[in-house]
Amino acid sequence: MESEMIVESVVSLPEQERVDSQEERLDRRERLQRMGDDEQKRGQRFFGTLMGTLGKFQKESVFLQEKNAKRAEIEARLAECMRKEKEEVEERVRIEKDEKQRAAERIRKASLREFEKLSLETYYKNKIASARALKTTTLPVLFYQPWKLSSKEEERAKFRVEELERKYQQELKELEERLSCEDSVYIKEVDVSMSTQETCEINVDTG
């Protein structure tokens, strides 16, 4: 009886080992399965974190690009405003300079006109004054005013004075005509210059 029990125990031992080994394999498979699931979940979490980081980086990159684009646009507008302001200042300075030059030219011409008239008047005044005087026939020629002129000398003096006055009026008229002609030419030159400047300004504005 005892021998039979021993045999049964010996026989049943390998079966128990097989059962244990099967359970171990099942446990190991389950552990591997759980590890695989954990690794998969960990990978998914890592991928999600990575995608979130990339998305955040992309948003920041787009934000920086838009910010830089706006800054560049503002800087371009400021540069354009500064350029236009500089051109306007330069144009005002040029116009003021031209106006000063034209004013100085008008003053110079007016002064020259008065000087020529005064010179002509002074010349003929001296000639008329000397026309009433007598001159010597010897050298050097001297002019003198006698206490009283004879009727013949008075007639000659009157003729010389009238002739000088006629010449003075004639030369004064010619001088006035010449100065008037010069004024007309100057005004035309100024008009052409101003119209040319306006045309250039229009071309710059439309360009």
Side-chain angles (χ1 to χ4, degrees):
M1 189 68 178
E2 291 179 357
S3 61
E4 290 178 358
M5 291 178 63
I6 292 170
V7 171
E8 288 178 358
S9 298
V10 172
V11 172
S12 63
L13 183 59
E15 292 179 358
Q16 184 66 36
E17 289 179 354
R18 284 197 299 272
V19 172
D20 292 340
S21 62
Q22 288 177 357
E23 290 179 355
E24 288 177 358
R25 283 196 299 272
L26 290 174
D27 291 340
R28 187 165 56 253
R29 186 179 300 169
E30 289 177 358
R31 286 197 301 272
L32 291 174
Q33 183 67 32
R34 285 196 299 271
M35 290 176 63
D37 293 340
D38 292 340
E39 289 293 332
Q40 185 177 4
K41 291 178 181 179
R42 189 180 297 109
Q44 290 176 352
R45 287 195 300 271
F46 177 76
F47 181 75
T49 303
L50 180 61
M51 292 301 294
T53 303
L54 290 175
K56 183 179 179 181
F57 176 77
Q58 288 177 350
K59 289 180 180 179
E60 291 178 353
S61 178
V62 171
F63 174 75
L64 289 175
Q65 289 178 356
E66 292 177 352
K67 185 177 180 180
N68 291 332
K70 289 181 179 179
R71 180 183 299 172
E73 183 180 357
I74 293 172
E75 290 177 352
R77 289 180 180 177
L78 289 175
E80 181 66 16
C81 290
M82 292 177 66
R83 184 186 66 81
K84 289 183 178 180
E85 184 177 357
K86 181 181 178 182
E87 290 179 353
E88 290 175 357
V89 171
E90 291 177 350
E91 182 65 18
R92 285 197 298 269
V93 171
R94 185 185 62 79
I95 292 174
E96 291 177 358
K97 183 179 179 181
D98 291 342
E99 289 178 352
K100 288 181 180 179
Q101 289 179 347
R102 286 194 291 269
E105 183 65 17
R106 287 194 296 269
I107 294 173
R108 187 188 69 82
K109 285 183 175 295
S111 299
L112 182 61
R113 183 184 295 108
E114 292 300 322
F115 175 76
E116 290 186 15
K117 287 182 179 180
L118 183 61
S119 298
L120 184 64
E121 182 181 357
T122 302
Y123 172 77
Y124 275 98
K125 277 185 177 181
N126 292 332
K127 293 288 286 184
I128 290 172
S130 63
R132 297 182 182 277
L134 300 178
K135 63 180 180 179
T136 60
T137 57
T138 59
L139 295 176
V141 177
L142 298 175
F143 289 89
Y144 65 96
Q145 185 76 38
W147 178 257
K148 186 177 181 180
L149 295 175
S150 64
S151 58
K152 189 175 182 179
E153 290 172 342
E154 188 71 34
E155 189 69 24
R156 288 177 181 175
K158 182 179 179 182
F159 175 78
R160 286 195 298 268
V161 169
E162 290 177 352
E163 184 66 16
L164 288 171
E165 287 179 348
R166 185 188 65 79
K167 287 183 178 180
Y168 169 69
Q169 293 298 329
Q170 180 64 29
E171 290 189 21
L172 181 62
K173 181 180 178 181
E174 292 175 356
L175 177 62
E176 291 286 353
E177 290 177 353
R178 179 172 62 82
L179 294 176
S180 178
C181 181
E182 290 178 357
D183 288 341
S184 299
V185 172
Y186 174 72
I187 291 172
K188 288 181 180 179
E189 290 177 352
V190 171
D191 291 340
V192 170
S193 176
M194 293 182 66
S195 63
T196 303
Q197 292 175 3
E198 291 176 356
T199 303
C200 292
E201 291 174 2
I202 292 172
N203 291 334
V204 170
D205 292 337
T206 55

